[in-house]
Amino acid sequence: MAFGPSESFAFVSDWTTAARRHASMACIAVLLVILFAFMGERASRAARDRPRAPDEIGTMASELLHRPCQVYRRDLEAGYYSAVTGKAVEGAGRVRVVQTSLGDPSGQWAEVPCLYYKHTVAKSGEGDGIGGGGEGESGSGGWFFSEIFRWPRSASSSNGAGGDRKLNRRHDNAGGIDNVIKEYASPTAEIRVDFASGPAFPHRQPVLGFGGAFTEATALNYKSLSKGGQDAVVELLFGSRGLGYTMGRTHMNSCDFCVASYSFDDAEDDFELDAFDNDVAHDRDCGMIELMKRAHDAAATSWPRDDNPGVKIVASPWSPPTWMKRATWRAGDPANATHSLHMTGSALPTCIRDGTGPDSEYARSWALYFQKFIEAYKKQGVNLYGITPQNEPEFPAPWDACAQSMYTERDFIGYHLGPLLRSHHPDVKLLMFDHNKDHAPRWASTILDKNSVARKYVDGTAVHWYAGGMDRLLDGAVGTPNMHRLLGQLEDGGVPDNHLVLGSEACHCPSTAYAGGDLKVGWARAERYAHAMLADLAAGSNGWIEWNMVLDSMGGPNHLGNMCDAPLLAVPYRAKDAPPSTPTVQPFEKADHPFGKIHGDEWTREELNARGVPAEFLDVGVVVQPLYFYTGHITRHVRPGSRAVRAIADASSVGRTFRRPGASGAGGGINDNARKGMEVTAWPCEGSTRQSWTLNPEGQFRVFGHDWLGNPTSSCLGKKEDDDFDGLLLTECEASEEDGREPFGIYEIKEKEGREGTVNIVLKNGDGGKEVSCIVLQPLRNGGGALGPRGGAQINIGACNAPAAEWSYNAKTGEILSHHFADYGGEVCLTTGWPFLQVGAFQTPTAEEGKAVILLNEAGETANFVLRDGNGKAIVASSIPAHSIQTILFD
């Protein structure tokens, strides 16, 4: 999409502006790496005379805290072939590392400079080391040869894909290339990815894509901008230089992110919907449909290699017209009302006046409403990809709502909506549920039961990321094991492999990070987005749709005052060419700053730019938040048609990721997962505060940390399986003031007879008998998905004689460790939620680089790592700074 000079606007083309700002840093990094390479040469020579023990290697490596980026490829000059074009690609063997980091908030999507090691291995006496052997091959007297290059190459380079040749090195091959890697920094994580074995879910549908919601609030904020601002929004969200969104969601009738409630047929008892507005004038006039059409065209033009390019939109109703709804005190209806007077609120168990059974007149008319809506949108040039029967059916919300139980939704689908869609719109997908992960497996077991009247009409399941309670810091933090459970149920129940699982709503509330003015809070929100997206994809999800794409500075408009965050904010009053009379609050926004003043407005253009809000976009009235850039590390590179492959962030032989060899203190910084309601899981041990447990004299396993605002938190390991998540959670460390009950567990360490160092962790205040009172590992369903069995297994109370009940506890490090999954790669440690360092790996057949590995570091410390393929061969040795995300791309 082209932009004229009149727009007073320039995109960060491939974000090279950020790269130029750090050119001097890149040069320094290159020089340092060369220096370290010479130091490594000397160390290699010494190794010929006396092999180093692992602890000595760790001691030597501790002199350098952070790894520079080093790429190990055999094909640097041979070139590689694109999976898309079938032709040789310039930059042979290139690995791209793209990074966004809190330490450099204005350097979004910046390419990290790397040194390239083209190496081959030879046995002693085999000439110059060209050919012979593979990486890591060892042998007495053998050696391998490295040619070191820099990428990105300099402008003056003429030697092809390798860039500027810096130096040649000959290494002793005692221990192979691993010894060279170990020379540079310690401790180090092992990032293991297995592309050779193919997709983790070979029989399921690939990734559909990612996107956001076309709400009235988004459309109004979009329209409040100048043409330059509107063009920027479309390119930022759907263009080739932006997020590349290919999915969307919209509301059928009003939702809370509208200026008022509305429907398209308010005629009393109009069962045949003769008065239905076939022009859907409200959605057309407020700009929703215009934005959908622009988005579709931008995506189709900008990403032509995608499967079925464009934007796929799912529609969800919040409430039927009032005349279809049962009266209820919840909505403030009078006792003698024949039907509800409000689209807000809902009766239980269903809002439909005469239920959803086969003879329900109102349910039949409500199903017909879906048909009319699909046809009206098609008339406007928008072909809907799918629908859900109801947004958040379990919640009789104070905003536009219609509650349904799993049984009433089953009947509505089976007797009314399903047959009508199959007859008139068989190409439109029907996705069930559309609510939080806590009850998704439960709903699936009912609606997708083999005897269910609805099963044959359901094409997928939609889920939201919310925790469901009042603690908004748990949103996006819980429910991942339930996603695995859901996928396992689908397989066990014989549900067809093409059944979609789609994350259909996610956002942070209350208000916006820009309004709060705290960069760290905005960064924490971005990290939670990336974590949730990677976790869902690893479990087998087909995509992810966030909530509003564009809101105003306070997070609206919302006609119930339910202000939330979005990746983009419309601030037309901050545009470069904004007239002085431009209001700071648009006429459609009726909220009176419910969460206080907008602190982001106190910062200058230059200050915001330095804090990661690009001035280029602020100049056209658009605030681009950290949420946006973290999301882009996934959406830009995990394109439609991609598939997750096996990957895990593991410990290495020279210490935990965040704890140096010989140290006992937990690293990684403050644990922001130490809060009530967090699931307790098991992951590879990383030596962090998220895996550090204190057994106090009272017998409580306690964790400490703080929340995103810096408030101290402390929680204890619970004692009872949660009814919704089927595992142990963190809970309060104090007895209930109401009834004196102890939600926390009182535990005792008991050594297994004849098994020194192996213990049972016995619950002393549980309800079960002595034989069923120990902490046990509870494997995830569907084999743990792309992360495998060690990627987030649950914890529960079970039989003390089970192998899953065998642990070791180190009071000095705080680790509670199990070898139960040793056959799957190694030990695991008890973890609050998930580890700091996370990974996702994807085959991306429609991208130029066919493989993408995404690393997320939520720790307050840098993490060194070596990325290895399924055969254990090193691909990249590097580091990821504190509070950063990296996307590593290669073919």
PDB file of all heavy atoms in Angstrom, residues 301-330:
ATOM      1  N   THR A 301      -3.730  -8.364  -0.661  1.00  0.00           N
ATOM      2  CA  THR A 301      -2.688  -7.772  -1.499  1.00  0.00           C
ATOM      3  C   THR A 301      -1.304  -7.917  -0.888  1.00  0.00           C
ATOM      4  O   THR A 301      -0.325  -8.187  -1.595  1.00  0.00           O
ATOM      5  CB  THR A 301      -2.987  -6.269  -1.723  1.00  0.00           C
ATOM      6  OG1 THR A 301      -4.279  -6.129  -2.309  1.00  0.00           O
ATOM      7  CG2 THR A 301      -1.946  -5.637  -2.628  1.00  0.00           C
ATOM      8  N   SER A 302      -1.226  -7.747   0.424  1.00  0.00           N
ATOM      9  CA  SER A 302       0.072  -7.704   1.099  1.00  0.00           C
ATOM     10  C   SER A 302       0.657  -9.076   1.363  1.00  0.00           C
ATOM     11  O   SER A 302       1.879  -9.215   1.506  1.00  0.00           O
ATOM     12  CB  SER A 302      -0.059  -6.955   2.429  1.00  0.00           C
ATOM     13  OG  SER A 302      -0.511  -5.634   2.228  1.00  0.00           O
ATOM     14  N   TRP A 303      -0.188 -10.100   1.466  1.00  0.00           N
ATOM     15  CA  TRP A 303       0.291 -11.441   1.812  1.00  0.00           C
ATOM     16  C   TRP A 303      -0.235 -12.441   0.778  1.00  0.00           C
ATOM     17  O   TRP A 303      -0.980 -13.368   1.109  1.00  0.00           O
ATOM     18  CB  TRP A 303      -0.177 -11.830   3.212  1.00  0.00           C
ATOM     19  CG  TRP A 303       0.293 -10.872   4.267  1.00  0.00           C
ATOM     20  CD1 TRP A 303      -0.343  -9.744   4.700  1.00  0.00           C
ATOM     21  CD2 TRP A 303       1.511 -10.946   5.010  1.00  0.00           C
ATOM     22  NE1 TRP A 303       0.395  -9.111   5.666  1.00  0.00           N
ATOM     23  CE2 TRP A 303       1.541  -9.827   5.876  1.00  0.00           C
ATOM     24  CE3 TRP A 303       2.575 -11.853   5.042  1.00  0.00           C
ATOM     25  CZ2 TRP A 303       2.597  -9.592   6.766  1.00  0.00           C
ATOM     26  CZ3 TRP A 303       3.629 -11.619   5.907  1.00  0.00           C
ATOM     27  CH2 TRP A 303       3.637 -10.508   6.760  1.00  0.00           C
ATOM     28  N   PRO A 304       0.168 -12.296  -0.490  1.00  0.00           N
ATOM     29  CA  PRO A 304      -0.394 -13.144  -1.550  1.00  0.00           C
ATOM     30  C   PRO A 304      -0.028 -14.608  -1.426  1.00  0.00           C
ATOM     31  O   PRO A 304      -0.701 -15.460  -2.024  1.00  0.00           O
ATOM     32  CB  PRO A 304       0.191 -12.525  -2.825  1.00  0.00           C
ATOM     33  CG  PRO A 304       1.452 -11.848  -2.385  1.00  0.00           C
ATOM     34  CD  PRO A 304       1.163 -11.329  -1.008  1.00  0.00           C
ATOM     35  N   ARG A 305       1.028 -14.941  -0.651  1.00  0.00           N
ATOM     36  CA  ARG A 305       1.422 -16.347  -0.523  1.00  0.00           C
ATOM     37  C   ARG A 305       0.568 -17.108   0.469  1.00  0.00           C
ATOM     38  O   ARG A 305       0.639 -18.334   0.556  1.00  0.00           O
ATOM     39  CB  ARG A 305       2.886 -16.441  -0.106  1.00  0.00           C
ATOM     40  CG  ARG A 305       3.859 -16.068  -1.207  1.00  0.00           C
ATOM     41  CD  ARG A 305       5.273 -16.107  -0.689  1.00  0.00           C
ATOM     42  NE  ARG A 305       6.231 -15.891  -1.754  1.00  0.00           N
ATOM     43  CZ  ARG A 305       7.484 -15.528  -1.552  1.00  0.00           C
ATOM     44  NH1 ARG A 305       7.918 -15.363  -0.321  1.00  0.00           N
ATOM     45  NH2 ARG A 305       8.290 -15.350  -2.562  1.00  0.00           N
ATOM     46  N   ASP A 306      -0.216 -16.404   1.279  1.00  0.00           N
ATOM     47  CA  ASP A 306      -1.059 -17.077   2.259  1.00  0.00           C
ATOM     48  C   ASP A 306      -2.074 -17.979   1.561  1.00  0.00           C
ATOM     49  O   ASP A 306      -2.515 -17.707   0.432  1.00  0.00           O
ATOM     50  CB  ASP A 306      -1.823 -16.062   3.111  1.00  0.00           C
ATOM     51  CG  ASP A 306      -0.939 -15.382   4.144  1.00  0.00           C
ATOM     52  OD1 ASP A 306       0.202 -15.843   4.338  1.00  0.00           O
ATOM     53  OD2 ASP A 306      -1.388 -14.399   4.751  1.00  0.00           O
ATOM     54  N   ASP A 307      -2.478 -19.034   2.258  1.00  0.00           N
ATOM     55  CA  ASP A 307      -3.586 -19.847   1.777  1.00  0.00           C
ATOM     56  C   ASP A 307      -4.864 -19.012   1.845  1.00  0.00           C
ATOM     57  O   ASP A 307      -5.192 -18.449   2.894  1.00  0.00           O
ATOM     58  CB  ASP A 307      -3.753 -21.099   2.646  1.00  0.00           C
ATOM     59  CG  ASP A 307      -2.571 -22.037   2.537  1.00  0.00           C
ATOM     60  OD1 ASP A 307      -1.897 -22.006   1.489  1.00  0.00           O
ATOM     61  OD2 ASP A 307      -2.318 -22.785   3.505  1.00  0.00           O
ATOM     62  N   ASN A 308      -5.598 -18.917   0.734  1.00  0.00           N
ATOM     63  CA  ASN A 308      -6.832 -18.137   0.681  1.00  0.00           C
ATOM     64  C   ASN A 308      -6.633 -16.759   1.303  1.00  0.00           C
ATOM     65  O   ASN A 308      -7.192 -16.438   2.356  1.00  0.00           O
ATOM     66  CB  ASN A 308      -7.966 -18.872   1.400  1.00  0.00           C
ATOM     67  CG  ASN A 308      -8.238 -20.230   0.809  1.00  0.00           C
ATOM     68  OD1 ASN A 308      -8.343 -20.363  -0.409  1.00  0.00           O
ATOM     69  ND2 ASN A 308      -8.323 -21.252   1.660  1.00  0.00           N
ATOM     70  N   PRO A 309      -5.794 -15.918   0.703  1.00  0.00           N
ATOM     71  CA  PRO A 309      -5.456 -14.628   1.311  1.00  0.00           C
ATOM     72  C   PRO A 309      -6.671 -13.745   1.532  1.00  0.00           C
ATOM     73  O   PRO A 309      -7.650 -13.804   0.793  1.00  0.00           O
ATOM     74  CB  PRO A 309      -4.495 -14.010   0.291  1.00  0.00           C
ATOM     75  CG  PRO A 309      -4.769 -14.709  -0.992  1.00  0.00           C
ATOM     76  CD  PRO A 309      -5.168 -16.083  -0.627  1.00  0.00           C
ATOM     77  N   GLY A 310      -6.581 -12.916   2.544  1.00  0.00           N
ATOM     78  CA  GLY A 310      -7.675 -12.037   2.942  1.00  0.00           C
ATOM     79  C   GLY A 310      -7.929 -12.170   4.425  1.00  0.00           C
ATOM     80  O   GLY A 310      -7.079 -12.671   5.176  1.00  0.00           O
ATOM     81  N   VAL A 311      -9.097 -11.728   4.885  1.00  0.00           N
ATOM     82  CA  VAL A 311      -9.452 -11.766   6.303  1.00  0.00           C
ATOM     83  C   VAL A 311     -10.710 -12.605   6.495  1.00  0.00           C
ATOM     84  O   VAL A 311     -11.742 -12.357   5.851  1.00  0.00           O
ATOM     85  CB  VAL A 311      -9.674 -10.341   6.860  1.00  0.00           C
ATOM     86  CG1 VAL A 311     -10.144 -10.403   8.313  1.00  0.00           C
ATOM     87  CG2 VAL A 311      -8.391  -9.518   6.768  1.00  0.00           C
ATOM     88  N   LYS A 312     -10.639 -13.591   7.348  1.00  0.00           N
ATOM     89  CA  LYS A 312     -11.766 -14.450   7.695  1.00  0.00           C
ATOM     90  C   LYS A 312     -12.411 -13.900   8.967  1.00  0.00           C
ATOM     91  O   LYS A 312     -11.752 -13.794   9.993  1.00  0.00           O
ATOM     92  CB  LYS A 312     -11.304 -15.892   7.919  1.00  0.00           C
ATOM     93  CG  LYS A 312     -10.632 -16.532   6.712  1.00  0.00           C
ATOM     94  CD  LYS A 312     -10.098 -17.912   7.059  1.00  0.00           C
ATOM     95  CE  LYS A 312      -9.477 -18.603   5.859  1.00  0.00           C
ATOM     96  NZ  LYS A 312      -8.251 -17.923   5.391  1.00  0.00           N
ATOM     97  N   ILE A 313     -13.707 -13.587   8.913  1.00  0.00           N
ATOM     98  CA  ILE A 313     -14.392 -12.928  10.031  1.00  0.00           C
ATOM     99  C   ILE A 313     -15.443 -13.854  10.624  1.00  0.00           C
ATOM    100  O   ILE A 313     -16.248 -14.452   9.904  1.00  0.00           O
ATOM    101  CB  ILE A 313     -15.026 -11.605   9.575  1.00  0.00           C
ATOM    102  CG1 ILE A 313     -13.938 -10.640   9.073  1.00  0.00           C
ATOM    103  CG2 ILE A 313     -15.825 -10.957  10.708  1.00  0.00           C
ATOM    104  CD1 ILE A 313     -14.465  -9.362   8.475  1.00  0.00           C
ATOM    105  N   VAL A 314     -15.408 -13.947  11.949  1.00  0.00           N
ATOM    106  CA  VAL A 314     -16.388 -14.720  12.713  1.00  0.00           C
ATOM    107  C   VAL A 314     -17.318 -13.744  13.422  1.00  0.00           C
ATOM    108  O   VAL A 314     -16.857 -12.780  14.047  1.00  0.00           O
ATOM    109  CB  VAL A 314     -15.682 -15.629  13.742  1.00  0.00           C
ATOM    110  CG1 VAL A 314     -16.707 -16.376  14.596  1.00  0.00           C
ATOM    111  CG2 VAL A 314     -14.739 -16.605  13.041  1.00  0.00           C
ATOM    112  N   ALA A 315     -18.612 -13.970  13.343  1.00  0.00           N
ATOM    113  CA  ALA A 315     -19.606 -13.105  14.000  1.00  0.00           C
ATOM    114  C   ALA A 315     -20.172 -13.798  15.229  1.00  0.00           C
ATOM    115  O   ALA A 315     -20.464 -14.997  15.202  1.00  0.00           O
ATOM    116  CB  ALA A 315     -20.723 -12.740  13.030  1.00  0.00           C
ATOM    117  N   SER A 316     -20.341 -13.022  16.298  1.00  0.00           N
ATOM    118  CA  SER A 316     -20.880 -13.557  17.559  1.00  0.00           C
ATOM    119  C   SER A 316     -21.939 -12.609  18.105  1.00  0.00           C
ATOM    120  O   SER A 316     -21.708 -11.402  18.161  1.00  0.00           O
ATOM    121  CB  SER A 316     -19.772 -13.697  18.610  1.00  0.00           C
ATOM    122  OG  SER A 316     -18.720 -14.513  18.148  1.00  0.00           O
ATOM    123  N   PRO A 317     -23.087 -13.136  18.542  1.00  0.00           N
ATOM    124  CA  PRO A 317     -24.085 -12.263  19.166  1.00  0.00           C
ATOM    125  C   PRO A 317     -23.828 -12.104  20.663  1.00  0.00           C
ATOM    126  O   PRO A 317     -23.357 -13.031  21.323  1.00  0.00           O
ATOM    127  CB  PRO A 317     -25.391 -13.014  18.928  1.00  0.00           C
ATOM    128  CG  PRO A 317     -24.987 -14.457  18.941  1.00  0.00           C
ATOM    129  CD  PRO A 317     -23.590 -14.505  18.366  1.00  0.00           C
ATOM    130  N   TRP A 318     -24.118 -10.918  21.170  1.00  0.00           N
ATOM    131  CA  TRP A 318     -24.114 -10.688  22.616  1.00  0.00           C
ATOM    132  C   TRP A 318     -25.538 -10.826  23.155  1.00  0.00           C
ATOM    133  O   TRP A 318     -25.738 -11.408  24.203  1.00  0.00           O
ATOM    134  CB  TRP A 318     -23.553  -9.301  22.931  1.00  0.00           C
ATOM    135  CG  TRP A 318     -22.087  -9.236  23.219  1.00  0.00           C
ATOM    136  CD1 TRP A 318     -21.511  -8.827  24.390  1.00  0.00           C
ATOM    137  CD2 TRP A 318     -20.997  -9.584  22.357  1.00  0.00           C
ATOM    138  NE1 TRP A 318     -20.133  -8.899  24.306  1.00  0.00           N
ATOM    139  CE2 TRP A 318     -19.796  -9.368  23.062  1.00  0.00           C
ATOM    140  CE3 TRP A 318     -20.917 -10.052  21.051  1.00  0.00           C
ATOM    141  CZ2 TRP A 318     -18.537  -9.603  22.509  1.00  0.00           C
ATOM    142  CZ3 TRP A 318     -19.674 -10.291  20.498  1.00  0.00           C
ATOM    143  CH2 TRP A 318     -18.500 -10.075  21.225  1.00  0.00           C
ATOM    144  N   SER A 319     -26.512 -10.309  22.407  1.00  0.00           N
ATOM    145  CA  SER A 319     -27.903 -10.366  22.869  1.00  0.00           C
ATOM    146  C   SER A 319     -28.850 -10.356  21.682  1.00  0.00           C
ATOM    147  O   SER A 319     -28.618  -9.647  20.700  1.00  0.00           O
ATOM    148  CB  SER A 319     -28.218  -9.174  23.773  1.00  0.00           C
ATOM    149  OG  SER A 319     -29.605  -9.121  24.071  1.00  0.00           O
ATOM    150  N   PRO A 320     -29.955 -11.123  21.762  1.00  0.00           N
ATOM    151  CA  PRO A 320     -31.025 -10.981  20.768  1.00  0.00           C
ATOM    152  C   PRO A 320     -31.762  -9.659  21.006  1.00  0.00           C
ATOM    153  O   PRO A 320     -31.538  -8.977  22.013  1.00  0.00           O
ATOM    154  CB  PRO A 320     -31.940 -12.176  21.063  1.00  0.00           C
ATOM    155  CG  PRO A 320     -31.242 -13.024  22.064  1.00  0.00           C
ATOM    156  CD  PRO A 320     -30.269 -12.139  22.778  1.00  0.00           C
ATOM    157  N   PRO A 321     -32.678  -9.307  20.114  1.00  0.00           N
ATOM    158  CA  PRO A 321     -33.556  -8.175  20.394  1.00  0.00           C
ATOM    159  C   PRO A 321     -34.338  -8.421  21.692  1.00  0.00           C
ATOM    160  O   PRO A 321     -34.572  -9.575  22.086  1.00  0.00           O
ATOM    161  CB  PRO A 321     -34.489  -8.141  19.180  1.00  0.00           C
ATOM    162  CG  PRO A 321     -33.754  -8.874  18.103  1.00  0.00           C
ATOM    163  CD  PRO A 321     -32.936  -9.915  18.805  1.00  0.00           C
ATOM    164  N   THR A 322     -34.741  -7.350  22.343  1.00  0.00           N
ATOM    165  CA  THR A 322     -35.374  -7.491  23.664  1.00  0.00           C
ATOM    166  C   THR A 322     -36.630  -8.348  23.619  1.00  0.00           C
ATOM    167  O   THR A 322     -36.915  -9.071  24.580  1.00  0.00           O
ATOM    168  CB  THR A 322     -35.730  -6.104  24.228  1.00  0.00           C
ATOM    169  OG1 THR A 322     -36.592  -5.424  23.304  1.00  0.00           O
ATOM    170  CG2 THR A 322     -34.480  -5.272  24.445  1.00  0.00           C
ATOM    171  N   TRP A 323     -37.383  -8.316  22.518  1.00  0.00           N
ATOM    172  CA  TRP A 323     -38.649  -9.045  22.474  1.00  0.00           C
ATOM    173  C   TRP A 323     -38.467 -10.560  22.446  1.00  0.00           C
ATOM    174  O   TRP A 323     -39.414 -11.309  22.680  1.00  0.00           O
ATOM    175  CB  TRP A 323     -39.508  -8.590  21.288  1.00  0.00           C
ATOM    176  CG  TRP A 323     -38.874  -8.713  19.933  1.00  0.00           C
ATOM    177  CD1 TRP A 323     -38.130  -7.778  19.288  1.00  0.00           C
ATOM    178  CD2 TRP A 323     -38.964  -9.830  19.037  1.00  0.00           C
ATOM    179  NE1 TRP A 323     -37.725  -8.230  18.052  1.00  0.00           N
ATOM    180  CE2 TRP A 323     -38.233  -9.479  17.862  1.00  0.00           C
ATOM    181  CE3 TRP A 323     -39.569 -11.083  19.097  1.00  0.00           C
ATOM    182  CZ2 TRP A 323     -38.108 -10.341  16.775  1.00  0.00           C
ATOM    183  CZ3 TRP A 323     -39.454 -11.937  18.019  1.00  0.00           C
ATOM    184  CH2 TRP A 323     -38.717 -11.571  16.875  1.00  0.00           C
ATOM    185  N   MET A 324     -37.244 -11.020  22.181  1.00  0.00           N
ATOM    186  CA  MET A 324     -36.967 -12.455  22.232  1.00  0.00           C
ATOM    187  C   MET A 324     -36.521 -12.906  23.612  1.00  0.00           C
ATOM    188  O   MET A 324     -36.405 -14.119  23.853  1.00  0.00           O
ATOM    189  CB  MET A 324     -35.869 -12.816  21.225  1.00  0.00           C
ATOM    190  CG  MET A 324     -36.233 -12.647  19.762  1.00  0.00           C
ATOM    191  SD  MET A 324     -34.875 -13.283  18.714  1.00  0.00           S
ATOM    192  CE  MET A 324     -35.446 -12.844  17.077  1.00  0.00           C
ATOM    193  N   LYS A 325     -36.252 -11.962  24.532  1.00  0.00           N
ATOM    194  CA  LYS A 325     -35.618 -12.285  25.810  1.00  0.00           C
ATOM    195  C   LYS A 325     -36.621 -12.378  26.954  1.00  0.00           C
ATOM    196  O   LYS A 325     -37.568 -11.589  27.037  1.00  0.00           O
ATOM    197  CB  LYS A 325     -34.562 -11.224  26.148  1.00  0.00           C
ATOM    198  CG  LYS A 325     -33.397 -11.182  25.185  1.00  0.00           C
ATOM    199  CD  LYS A 325     -32.385 -10.111  25.552  1.00  0.00           C
ATOM    200  CE  LYS A 325     -31.659 -10.418  26.852  1.00  0.00           C
ATOM    201  NZ  LYS A 325     -30.567  -9.450  27.119  1.00  0.00           N
ATOM    202  N   ARG A 326     -36.347 -13.314  27.824  1.00  0.00           N
ATOM    203  CA  ARG A 326     -37.158 -13.493  29.027  1.00  0.00           C
ATOM    204  C   ARG A 326     -36.870 -12.364  30.010  1.00  0.00           C
ATOM    205  O   ARG A 326     -35.727 -11.956  30.196  1.00  0.00           O
ATOM    206  CB  ARG A 326     -36.821 -14.841  29.662  1.00  0.00           C
ATOM    207  CG  ARG A 326     -37.639 -15.188  30.902  1.00  0.00           C
ATOM    208  CD  ARG A 326     -37.173 -16.509  31.490  1.00  0.00           C
ATOM    209  NE  ARG A 326     -37.261 -17.589  30.515  1.00  0.00           N
ATOM    210  CZ  ARG A 326     -36.707 -18.795  30.676  1.00  0.00           C
ATOM    211  NH1 ARG A 326     -35.994 -19.040  31.756  1.00  0.00           N
ATOM    212  NH2 ARG A 326     -36.844 -19.724  29.761  1.00  0.00           N
ATOM    213  N   ALA A 327     -37.935 -11.864  30.638  1.00  0.00           N
ATOM    214  CA  ALA A 327     -37.765 -10.806  31.641  1.00  0.00           C
ATOM    215  C   ALA A 327     -37.038 -11.358  32.866  1.00  0.00           C
ATOM    216  O   ALA A 327     -37.189 -12.526  33.224  1.00  0.00           O
ATOM    217  CB  ALA A 327     -39.134 -10.254  32.046  1.00  0.00           C
ATOM    218  N   THR A 328     -36.240 -10.524  33.499  1.00  0.00           N
ATOM    219  CA  THR A 328     -35.499 -10.956  34.686  1.00  0.00           C
ATOM    220  C   THR A 328     -35.135  -9.758  35.540  1.00  0.00           C
ATOM    221  O   THR A 328     -34.888  -8.657  35.035  1.00  0.00           O
ATOM    222  CB  THR A 328     -34.204 -11.708  34.283  1.00  0.00           C
ATOM    223  OG1 THR A 328     -33.435 -11.983  35.458  1.00  0.00           O
ATOM    224  CG2 THR A 328     -33.354 -10.881  33.339  1.00  0.00           C
ATOM    225  N   TRP A 329     -35.083  -9.991  36.837  1.00  0.00           N
ATOM    226  CA  TRP A 329     -34.662  -8.932  37.749  1.00  0.00           C
ATOM    227  C   TRP A 329     -33.210  -8.551  37.508  1.00  0.00           C
ATOM    228  O   TRP A 329     -32.785  -7.442  37.818  1.00  0.00           O
ATOM    229  CB  TRP A 329     -34.842  -9.379  39.200  1.00  0.00           C
ATOM    230  CG  TRP A 329     -34.033 -10.609  39.550  1.00  0.00           C
ATOM    231  CD1 TRP A 329     -34.442 -11.905  39.461  1.00  0.00           C
ATOM    232  CD2 TRP A 329     -32.686 -10.644  40.015  1.00  0.00           C
ATOM    233  NE1 TRP A 329     -33.437 -12.768  39.839  1.00  0.00           N
ATOM    234  CE2 TRP A 329     -32.341 -12.008  40.200  1.00  0.00           C
ATOM    235  CE3 TRP A 329     -31.733  -9.666  40.305  1.00  0.00           C
ATOM    236  CZ2 TRP A 329     -31.082 -12.410  40.654  1.00  0.00           C
ATOM    237  CZ3 TRP A 329     -30.480 -10.064  40.752  1.00  0.00           C
ATOM    238  CH2 TRP A 329     -30.160 -11.422  40.926  1.00  0.00           C
ATOM    239  N   ARG A 330     -32.441  -9.491  36.921  1.00  0.00           N
ATOM    240  CA  ARG A 330     -31.032  -9.221  36.652  1.00  0.00           C
ATOM    241  C   ARG A 330     -30.857  -8.047  35.687  1.00  0.00           C
ATOM    242  O   ARG A 330     -29.851  -7.346  35.721  1.00  0.00           O
ATOM    243  CB  ARG A 330     -30.348 -10.452  36.050  1.00  0.00           C
ATOM    244  CG  ARG A 330     -30.309 -11.654  36.975  1.00  0.00           C
ATOM    245  CD  ARG A 330     -29.745 -12.872  36.272  1.00  0.00           C
ATOM    246  NE  ARG A 330     -29.828 -14.062  37.101  1.00  0.00           N
ATOM    247  CZ  ARG A 330     -28.941 -14.401  38.018  1.00  0.00           C
ATOM    248  NH1 ARG A 330     -27.886 -13.644  38.203  1.00  0.00           N
ATOM    249  NH2 ARG A 330     -29.099 -15.497  38.738  1.00  0.00           N
TER     250      ARG A 330
END
